[in-house]
Amino acid sequence: MTGRQEPSRRRVLKGAAVAAATAALGIGSTYPAEASDASVTATSLDGTTSITMSLTGGSLRWSARRNGATVVAGSAMGLRLGDGTTLGADAVVTSHQHRHVDSAWQPVYGRNATVLDTYQEMRWNLRDNRTSINFGVQIRAYATGVAFRYVLLDPGTAAIAGELTTFVFPDGTLVYSARDEDDYNPVTPGSIPPTGTSSTDTGPLTDLPLTATYSGDLIACVCESARIDYPRMMLSSVPGQPNSLAAYLMRHTARGSGAVQTTSTVTTPFVTPWRAVVIGSTHAELIDNAELVLNLAPAGDLADTSWIKPGKVFRCNLTTADGLAGVDFAAARGLQYIEYDSGWYGPEHTSTDATQSISAIDLRTVIRYATGKGIGVFLYVNPMALNSPDSLFARYRRWGVAGVKLGFINDGTQAMTNQITAWARTAARHKLLIDTHDDVRPFGYERTYPNWISLEGVRGNEHGA
């Protein structure tokens, strides 16, 4: 990553550095550290925002502040492995790293032509006293918020069963809780209502992003970014701790329709998703600062993005005449796309062949007409017809289709994360735009694959929203 790096001004502590693994992960300069209680703070370059990581009696904790006010009070950090090992409950620091980055990048589309990527980062490498497993924690402070993630350093594989991560809010905080496509309810962190069924994740669980309002002039939003090969995170109330929320890694898909995954096996070294808190003084500032989620995501992976054109789409009835009329409607009103939704290739819940339109639609004629008018065509596909996405998307590209709307995408498990990101990559390879419907929560991957232009996420048009 470009930018300036500065040596730490903190005293250089004694200890062994995990030099080879950290060099492989490309994280700045390494300084030895001692095996004792310690704390380290990353502060945004404008001085407004900070995140502190501490080690006391072997236990990791973190906190965050904005202009002197507490955003997150002392909260737990760590990972829980499949064999019951907890990393972060009995650890020792083995090395310390520090860097400043002051850079910028240009998104393919969005609110701003240039996104500033400016932060201070601190990192500890640690060793678990009971198992000698080596791991690390990175913390970052931006003017727009704070973030942290975990790093598993030892080469091999690891089964991750959960996180020790908590978010402890100041007294008087309200969070806007919702699950799946339910309404948002302002509640205290300890009062998230129990939800779920016997075939889904159950408990006092709320989805991300989660907005929190404070008694002072402060508003924040808990998010995740760079979720790759990892389950989606939810948050749960903590019994007996009214101001606390705990990280919960989903074991089911959003509606419980897929295989259950109680652990996620990863190849190590491995970095978890970022746990981020976007911070602002007003709702408008919070929206402006949400680019933090994109900054934490991997940089764009496409050499050619000239074909990616965001725009507005008009949904047509399922006939040739309506498709042609929809093209005229879009062209006359400055819209960029039309779409054939569920049913264009047969009944929604039984059709598995998305290469043949129903007899009422002459798809080739509509696509040719739309192309002549400068209008793109989106086609809906659900997972029943996505057994061979590479060949299907290649066919759509040959037809002249502009993009696909993926329906019934029930995010949640590690396997579904991998499936969703694979669909985005495959679509990009065939120069197709992607719109994912249903309960897919954003995690910044639209920076990596900007053909993923829309995540409908919450309360789609069938709810009148």
Side-chain angles (χ1 to χ4, degrees), residues 224-227 293-298 441-449 452 455:
E224 65 178 348
S225 183
R227 172 163 54 92
V293 176
L294 297 178
N295 272 329
L296 294 165
R441 300 296 167 138
F443 52 95
Y445 211 60
E446 64 270 32
R447 176 186 179 184
T448 314
Y449 285 95
W452 194 354
L455 288 79

Side-chain angles (χ1 to χ4, degrees), residues 48-223:
T48 62
T49 308
S50 65
I51 177 172
T52 297
M53 173 171 55
S54 63
L55 188 70
T56 304
S59 295
L60 280 169
R61 297 186 70 77
W62 73 285
S63 60
R65 297 179 69 81
R66 172 71 171 260
N67 291 326
T70 297
V71 179
V72 177
S75 304
M77 300 177 108
L79 293 173
R80 185 170 63 254
L81 304 183
D83 63 0
T85 297
T86 55
L87 303 179
D90 186 9
V92 58
V93 178
T94 59
S95 66
H96 167 236
Q97 298 155 350
H98 169 202
R99 67 172 180 167
H100 286 164
V101 170
D102 189 1
S103 63
W105 56 280
Q106 288 71 46
V108 178
Y109 50 83
R111 293 168 57 84
N112 297 303
T114 299
V115 176
L116 299 179
D117 191 12
T118 302
Y119 60 87
Q120 184 181 58
E121 177 179 293
M122 300 291 183
R123 170 167 165 168
W124 276 348
N125 292 328
L126 304 108
R127 184 177 61 251
D128 179 65
N129 278 326
R130 289 165 292 185
T131 63
S132 296
I133 293 173
N134 295 298
F135 68 104
V137 183
Q138 292 171 260
I139 60 173
R140 286 186 186 176
Y142 295 75
T144 53
V146 301
F148 63 90
R149 68 177 176 182
Y150 307 107
V151 185
L152 292 170
L153 291 168
D154 297 325
T157 61
I160 299 173
E163 295 187 12
L164 308 184
T165 307
T166 61
F167 299 79
V168 178
F169 295 94
D171 290 341
T173 302
L174 289 178
V175 297
Y176 286 80
S177 170
R179 179 165 183 180
D180 196 11
E181 294 176 352
D182 291 340
D183 293 332
Y184 284 88
N185 294 306
V187 297
T188 61
S191 302
I192 304 295
T195 53
T197 67
S198 59
S199 62
T200 68
D201 293 293
T202 59
L205 295 170
T206 183
D207 277 320
L208 300 181
L210 181 77
T211 300
T213 59
Y214 297 73
S215 56
D217 185 20
L218 196 65
I219 185 170
C221 188
V222 181
C223 309

Side-chain angles (χ1 to χ4, degrees), residues 10 22 32 44 51 66 85 90 106 141 158 162 169 205 216 228 246 252 258 277 359 382 393 436-437 449 455:
R10 296 181 179 276
T22 57
S44 61
I51 177 172
R66 172 71 171 260
T85 297
D90 186 9
Q106 288 71 46
F169 295 94
L205 295 170
I228 301 169
H252 298 76
V277 183
S359 60
N382 75 23
F393 292 171
T436 48
H437 188 47
Y449 285 95
L455 288 79

Side-chain angles (χ1 to χ4, degrees), residues 14 73 87 89 155 195 210 212 220 241 280 323 330 353 373 401 427 433 438 462:
K14 297 180 181 179
L87 303 179
T195 53
L210 181 77
Q241 299 180 37
D353 183 4
K373 293 276 190 174
V401 171
L433 304 179
D438 300 296
E462 68 268 29

Side-chain angles (χ1 to χ4, degrees), residues 350-425:
T350 58
S351 300
T352 60
D353 183 4
T355 66
Q356 298 290 331
S357 61
I358 58 175
S359 60
I361 301 174
D362 184 343
L363 190 58
R364 304 296 183 88
T365 294
V366 174
I367 292 172
R368 281 196 301 269
Y369 186 69
T371 301
K373 293 276 190 174
I375 303 298
V377 176
F378 268 72
L379 297 178
Y380 173 94
V381 186
N382 75 23
M384 291 182 64
L386 278 171
N387 291 325
S388 300
D390 190 61
S391 61
L392 182 65
F393 292 171
R395 183 188 294 258
Y396 287 174
R397 181 61 183 171
R398 291 195 299 271
W399 288 355
V401 171
V404 292
K405 173 183 174 180
L406 303 181
F408 288 99
I409 308 305
N410 294 328
D411 194 6
T413 61
Q414 178 194 39
M416 278 308 302
T417 294
N418 293 345
Q419 181 66 85
I420 292 166
T421 51
W423 283 330
R425 290 193 299 270

